[in-house]
Amino acid sequence: MHLRCNMVNSASRWAPLFLIAASSTAAISQNGEPAKPKPDVFVVGEHSATAGISTDFTPTHMQLPDGRLSERGRRELIRDLESEQGFAHRVLPMGPGLTLEANGELTPGPAEYKKMIYEKGASANVGDRVVVTALTFKPDRIVIDVNGGPYAKHRFLSHVSFGDAPVVRRGDDPTGSRVTLVFKDGVPEISAPEVKALLAPVIDFGAKTSTDAYADSLPAPVKESISAHEVLVGMDRKMVLASVGAPESKVREHADDAPEGVHYEEWIYGHVPQTVRFVRFKGDRVVLVKVAALGKPIEVHDQNEMGEFAPEPDKRDIALGDGIDPNHPVAPPTLRQAGEKDDTAPVSNAHRVQYPPPSKTGSAPDPTQQPASPPAPPTQ
């Protein structure tokens, strides 16, 4: 098994690693001829890294007030919206790239939206708590910074130092996001609750927990199951936590049919005489649910119950592994450049320590030989 690791250059500091593992072991077919190897390739790229990100969008339909925004209205918006906390209704990318039209569409589109998250990283995931940190008003838009915004705050003291010691320590890189709310006919005399309603497709300002905010972002059938506190085969850990909360206990063991295989994790809810529920995870997905009610046979659920909303099964992607010749296996990875000499060759005998041959007379005893034992004294 050979392992090759390629780093894809990217302008972003969040550039991922492409891990490619190819198996080149030759197999023997039934007719005795070498069978074509079946490479196992695991690829982490833009498609797989953003596969679980939802880009569904439903525009709002709200009657906007008439008249232009006054100075008093601007001050009230700053007072009521700055430091206001909400929950991300979708994954928010870092940077200033989101533009939301009032009662309109969100740009960029789904493909560009995922690419932005892939290149710049996520500022907040679905259900994460976010904070409005700054508001900027322009004639036709309101610029809203979330979680500190996309740019670091400039401080003039950062240019002052005593000797080599700066007066102000350089802060961390910004990890916030920015949403620009655009109005076609200029910013109207709008109130803070109306701005929150227009931002609902992106940020939910309702008084709820992060778990409720995450459940609201799921499809309707899955949301109904979570509201009924049901655990379905195919859910991930976050869905299970939103449905039934944290377990009372956890067990991590090997499966009975594969004692040498990977571990599975089982979450246990309830205790006797109450109904006990066992939820088994394989990776991040529920693969088995057992319900043990008092006086009833144990219910076993081991088939997918998510329907069309279940995540796609794991697939085998072939990349940089096609056409491997078993007679010419791929060389193992190395950091040497082409034509560079291999310094790991075995050392010749000329550089090894040479022991002098033992002499016949007057020579020192051979250190590799054990000293002879003294003769036994004569008996009387």
Side-chain angles (χ1 to χ4, degrees), residues 45-56 90-91 113-114 117 125-126 214 217-219 236 239 284-285 309-312:
E46 180 178 352
H47 176 71
S48 57
T50 59
I53 297 178
S54 175
T55 56
D56 297 337
R90 60 193 297 137
V91 180
Y113 191 90
K114 290 185 176 182
I117 296 175
N125 292 318
V126 177
Y214 171 73
S217 65
L218 299 175
D236 58 14
M239 293 179 183
D284 190 50
R285 305 294 175 183
F309 304 104
E312 296 183 0

Side-chain angles (χ1 to χ4, degrees), residues 6 58 74 93 221 266 288:
N6 298 330
T58 302
R74 187 185 68 84
E266 197 162 72
L288 180 67

Side-chain angles (χ1 to χ4, degrees), residues 303-324:
Q303 300 297 325
N304 178 33
E305 299 174 327
M306 295 284 288
E308 60 180 350
F309 304 104
E312 296 183 0
D314 296 336
K315 296 181 179 180
R316 173 176 295 164
D317 298 330
I318 304 301
L320 299 183
D322 296 335
I324 296 179

Side-chain angles (χ1 to χ4, degrees), residues 287-367:
V287 296
L288 180 67
V289 178
K290 293 183 179 180
V291 181
L294 187 63
K296 296 182 180 180
I298 298 178
E299 299 180 13
V300 179
H301 304 265
D302 56 358
Q303 300 297 325
N304 178 33
E305 299 174 327
M306 295 284 288
E308 60 180 350
F309 304 104
E312 296 183 0
D314 296 336
K315 296 181 179 180
R316 173 176 295 164
D317 298 330
I318 304 301
L320 299 183
D322 296 335
I324 296 179
D325 188 358
N327 299 324
H328 298 82
V330 180
T334 178
L335 297 178
R336 297 185 183 87
Q337 298 180 357
E340 188 175 354
K341 183 179 179 181
D342 187 359
D343 298 332
T344 61
V347 182
S348 62
N349 294 335
H351 299 283
R352 293 181 179 178
V353 177
Q354 300 292 328
Y355 293 97
S359 59
K360 296 181 179 179
T361 59
S363 61
D366 189 353

